[in-house]
C-alpha cells in the first residue's frame, strides 16, 4: 500500500480526543499490535491549516505517544503518512484514508516525552 507523507509545517495540531488502545476486533475487544508486537494507539487530532480544519484519527505505536495527552494539548506529529484503503464487508464496499504517525509529542513545556522503545 502506497504511503504518502503529510506536510505538517504550516499546520496547528491539537489533541481532539485522548489516546486509546486501537481495537482490532470490536466483537472480541482484541487490541491491535504491529508486526513487532507493539500495541497500537488511536489518537484523534484537530489538524488546522490556514485553509481548513479537520479531525484526523491517527494510528501510533504506544511508545511514540507522549504521556498526559488531553483534549486541547498542542502536539507535533512525527512521520505522518496517509494511505488509501478499500474493503468489502457484507457486500458493501468501503474506502477511505488512514493516517499513521511514528510519534505524537506534546508541545507543552515540561510535558512527558514519548516512552523509549
Amino acid at each position: 500500500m502506497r504511503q504518502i507523507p503529510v506536510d505538517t509545517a504550516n499546520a496547528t495540531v491539537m489533541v481532539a480526543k485522548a489516546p486509546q488502545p486501537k481495537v482490532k476486533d470490536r466483537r472480541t475487544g482484541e487490541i491491535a499490535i504491529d508486526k513487532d508486537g507493539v500495541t497500537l494507539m488511536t489518537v484523534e487530532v484537530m489538524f488546522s491549516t490556514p485553509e481548513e480544519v479537520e479531525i484526523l484519527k491517527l494510528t501510533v505505536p504506544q511508545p511514540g505517544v507522549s504521556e498526559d495527552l488531553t483534549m486541547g494539548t498542542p502536539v507535533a506529529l512525527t512521520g505522518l503518512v496517509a494511505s488509501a484503503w478499500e474493503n468489502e464487508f457484507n457486500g458493501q464496499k468501503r474506502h477511505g484514508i488512514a493516517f499513521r504517525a511514528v510519534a505524537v509529542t506534546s508541545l507543552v513545556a515540561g510535558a512527558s516525552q514519548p516512552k523509549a522503545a
Side-chain angles (χ1 to χ4, degrees), residues 11-100:
T12 299
V13 185
M14 290 199 248
V15 174
K17 187 175 179 184
Q20 299 178 353
K22 182 173 180 154
V23 178
K24 180 178 180 178
D25 186 333
R26 290 184 206 164
R27 292 172 294 151
T28 65
E30 179 183 0
I31 302 299
I33 57 173
D34 67 11
K35 64 184 181 338
D36 298 319
V38 176
T39 298
L40 296 174
M41 303 294 287
T42 299
V43 184
E44 291 186 39
V45 297
M46 180 189 74
F47 191 92
S48 174
T49 64
E51 294 81 34
E52 62 186 313
V53 176
E54 291 189 55
I55 300 295
L56 303 181
K57 186 181 279 192
L58 313 176
T59 298
V60 185
Q62 188 172 26
V65 178
S66 287
E67 293 181 18
D68 303 326
L69 290 183
T70 58
M71 187 170 38
T73 303
V75 293
L77 304 177
T78 303
L80 181 62
V81 294
S83 302
W85 61 268
E86 182 177 280
N87 65 22
E88 190 170 331
F89 184 74
N90 287 337
Q92 299 256 335
K93 284 195 174 190
R94 298 176 48 195
H95 64 276
I97 299 173
F99 294 92
R100 186 173 178 116

